[in-house]
Amino acid sequence: MNSPDLPAQFARTHRFAFGVPRGFTVSRDGDRVLFLRSTAGDDPVSRLWLYEVGADGAHGAERMLADPLTLGGADPVPEAELVRRERAREASQGVVAFAADAHARVVAFALSGVLWTVRTDGGAPRRIATAGPVVDPRPSPDGSLIAYVTGGALRVVAADGTADRALAEPEGDDVTYGLADHVAAESMGRHRAFWWSPEGDALLVARVDTARVRRWWLSDPAHPERPPRSVPYPAAGTANAETTLHILRTDGSRVAVRTPEKVAEHHLAGAWTDATLEYVLRASWDAHGPQVTLQTRDQRSAYVLEVDPESGESEVVCHQRERPWLDLAPGTPARLASSTPVRHWQVDSDTAGLRVGDVLTPPGLHVREVLATVGERVWFTASEEPTDVHVWSLSALDETGEPERVSDGPGVHTAAVGGDTVVLDSRTPDGHTVTVLRAGKPDGHMAVLSEEPVVVPAPRHLTLGERAVRGALFLPSWHTPGSGKLPVLLCPYSGPGIQLVVHARAWWTVVAQWFAEQGFAVLIADGRGTPGRGRTWEHAVYGDQLTPVLDDQVDALRAAAELHPELDLGRVGIRGWSFGGYLAAGAVLRRPDVFHAAVAGAAPSDLRLYDTHWKERFLGHPDVQPEHYERCSLLAHAHQLSRPLMLVHGLSDDNVLPVHTLRLSAALLAAGRPHTVLPLPGASHMVAREDVAANLLNLELDFLKKSLNA
């Protein structure tokens, strides 16, 4: 059955992301909220906006602070900024990032490498002359200085454009100051690499040296006249970048931060043990001084350190440990105004909680992320049921220790906080809303200008099989129960860090419904290894990231078919991207009795070629535990292919490199196994080109229909 042209809309709106307010920053007093948004659901150019919270009972209002279309910006975007955007999966144009002083009075942003500032109390954006193309500009807390990175150097310039000077310059071609390395940004979620002191007289800065990191060379076969690009990529078992921390003062003086090299005692041993404190997991600088969290190479220990900014000496204030790996909630550790620590703690095997001084979050409330601390109160997201995420707050002064829930109704809610203002960002089954609360009362809404999808998802949420796998089933709107069998299409990710089955409308639910309208019963299931279900659930994939995940997909499929007999288990396809692509390819290789066709996009076929922090967490060291990597390898099972398989890969992907698909295709060819390969010239891990993104969905549909006789 035909349906409206969802693929074209999906591509034109970049997965319905354009026109959505994001990147909220709330001033310390709660009076101002800065954010980014384009002017329409098909507008890729992001602008800088201000929402001024209402006073004396009046509702707040928003206004545009900077429109890049009026500021020029024809210069090329610096390479370091392109890398930063790829790590952040940023597809917009224009003002895509900004930073502000503590009171949200002075805002800095880069446009095509040019530094701009704008004041929220009036005036036009001002261009600031700098020593070179600018990356990640950040004002000091009082707004008098702007720190930025150019050419790997960390520099500061006065907000009036004077006194531009270097605080640290790279000692060689492999050194940068103030830029996050690959694994920090891609696998640890740390996109920053410098932090201002509260007084604005110094910065805590990461120095990254990639000299010992193995180089990968990425070329664009569609443009053989262009030289290949060198990418320092630390594959599993190989050397990481060397990251050290330094206190850089605005007067030009500096001191190295001295940290322990290894965990001294009480480290949890394993089949592979490496107690070297190799990863800078978190860093911050508040009124109580710099605080740094270092993690061991084997990821079973982390030290929380307090740093003396004068001497650079550090002191261990907390040692956190866990088997088989330690995964701290984003935003932890943190501190309240009184210096009371806010730390992640494991309530039981199914609940990750918070310890706020002597106050503990209750069992059954699974904490996802710490959002902010204001005074003696901490704001965080947490789940009582995995498919819903709510915003909560907890006061260290409340003797009952009972957190208060801020958000209402099914959905995935998050927030930004400053003073007594909360910006509540809610994705629900009905769509997306952004509500501003002042002292707990509604102050107004920020306009969400994303397009309404031409296909409206109507998922049936299910709990499936012995392990109560959460699933969502999408059936054609025109289908009548008992009218006939439907071919089945699984659309999982089902890997670490991403949860698809939630009570919220999202781009993947719209795409799932579109496939359903073409005549499929579409099932999305979150099996073991996905977040939101507790440590036992997440740790179940240690040593084997394929077998238990695939077993859960099979069990969910069969359980769904028992509930909905119209699912035709004789015609089952599977499609996915990244880990989902890995799972799709693994499904037809390992379980051809269940899966009859697959589309595998950007699939990591040999996990030894993925980065250190992400793969060693789940599989250990490839030289010490090679059986883990062999068990999970798609290459080892290439000779078993007996079902139609389409491999898709962007040839400029520097996250899952194209070598994965090329080696899998070579192994299939060597085994005499027919398959289809669809290369995407110029595409990265994020397929952003409109024509490619739209046509890719249609090509997938055509392949699956033919392969399943649908």
Side-chain angles (χ1 to χ4, degrees), residues 352-672:
L354 289 181
R355 182 184 295 272
V356 184
D358 296 327
V359 178
L360 307 175
T361 52
L365 186 63
H366 185 75
V367 172
R368 304 295 195 100
E369 179 180 6
V370 168
L371 303 170
T373 59
V374 177
E376 295 306 301
R377 184 173 291 274
V378 59
W379 301 78
F380 60 95
T381 56
S383 300
E384 295 171 293
E385 150 60 36
T387 53
D388 291 307
V389 181
H390 283 284
V391 175
W392 302 74
S393 76
L394 176 64
S395 172
L397 304 178
D398 187 346
E399 295 180 357
T400 67
E402 288 295 322
E404 302 172 17
R405 202 175 90 177
V406 179
S407 51
D408 265 332
V412 176
H413 307 267
T414 187
V417 184
D420 61 354
T421 295
V422 177
V423 180
L424 188 60
D425 189 347
S426 301
R427 297 175 185 266
T428 71
D430 296 324
H432 190 174
T433 59
V434 178
T435 306
V436 181
L437 305 174
R438 188 72 182 260
K441 298 179 180 179
D443 179 82
H445 295 271
M446 294 180 188
V448 178
L449 305 177
S450 55
E451 288 191 11
E452 282 294 305
V454 294
V455 175
V456 179
R460 294 161 169 80
H461 282 268
L462 308 170
T463 299
L464 301 167
E466 295 181 351
R467 287 181 288 275
V469 170
R470 301 306 197 267
L473 181 66
F474 301 78
L475 298 176
S477 59
W478 43 264
H479 177 73
T480 302
S483 61
K485 292 280 191 177
L486 295 170
V488 186
L489 177 61
L490 274 66
C491 295
Y493 180 81
S494 207
I498 296 179
Q499 188 180 359
L500 297 187
V501 182
V502 289
H503 287 122
R505 184 196 296 176
W507 67 261
W508 56 85
T509 64
V510 176
V511 170
Q513 188 66 51
W514 177 76
F515 273 105
E517 298 304 323
Q518 315 310 309
F520 291 92
V522 180
L523 178 65
I524 302 176
D526 284 340
R528 282 169 288 177
T530 56
R533 291 284 298 270
R535 284 294 192 259
T536 299
W537 187 262
E538 292 185 47
H539 289 169
V541 299
Y542 183 75
D544 187 349
Q545 283 198 279
L546 185 54
T547 307
V549 179
L550 190 52
D551 286 348
D552 284 348
Q553 295 297 313
V554 173
D555 291 351
L557 170 66
R558 290 172 172 166
E562 290 182 6
L563 295 172
H564 295 270
E566 58 263 53
L567 274 61
D568 185 354
L569 297 187
R571 293 183 293 163
V572 179
I574 182 170
R575 62 180 291 272
W577 193 266
S578 196
F579 189 93
Y582 166 75
L583 181 57
V588 290
L589 292 173
R590 295 274 291 269
R591 296 300 304 270
D593 57 316
V594 176
F595 299 96
H596 307 100
V599 176
S605 63
D606 183 349
L607 302 189
R608 291 172 297 184
L609 302 179
Y610 208 83
D611 79 53
T612 50
H613 192 269
W614 199 240
K615 278 301 155 223
E616 290 171 7
R617 172 186 301 184
F618 308 111
L619 302 179
H621 196 290
D623 294 341
V624 181
Q625 296 155 296
E627 69 280 5
H628 290 179
Y629 289 82
E630 189 68 17
R631 185 183 299 124
C632 297
S633 172
L634 299 181
L635 304 181
H637 302 280
H639 64 283
Q640 297 175 298
L641 182 66
S642 60
R643 300 295 191 184
L645 170 62
M646 174 188 279
L647 302 174
V648 186
H649 216 121
L651 296 183
S652 294
D653 192 338
D654 65 355
N655 177 21
V656 180
L657 284 87
V659 64
H660 287 275
T661 286
L662 296 175
R663 288 190 181 181
L664 179 55
S665 177
L668 293 168
L669 183 62

Side-chain angles (χ1 to χ4, degrees), residues 21-26 33-36 98 415-416 423 425 432 434 446:
R22 60 192 176 93
F24 306 106
T25 294
V26 187
V33 182
L34 296 160
F35 64 99
L36 300 173
F98 69 90
V423 180
D425 189 347
H432 190 174
V434 178
M446 294 180 188

Side-chain angles (χ1 to χ4, degrees), residues 28 102 141 167 192-206 245-250 253-255 257 282-293 305-312 333-336 373:
R28 186 174 291 173
L167 299 186
R192 293 183 59 181
F194 67 90
W195 300 264
W196 276 103
S197 69
E199 296 79 16
D201 60 349
L203 300 104
L204 174 65
V205 181
L245 295 168
H246 303 261
I247 303 292
L248 304 182
R249 298 199 169 276
T250 56
S253 62
R254 63 185 288 178
V255 62
V257 176
R282 309 267 196 274
S284 61
W285 197 335
D286 61 15
H288 307 287
Q291 183 171 263
V292 175
T293 302
L305 307 168
E306 291 183 350
V307 178
D308 180 346
E310 298 299 327
S311 67
R335 288 184 288 208
L336 302 180
T373 59

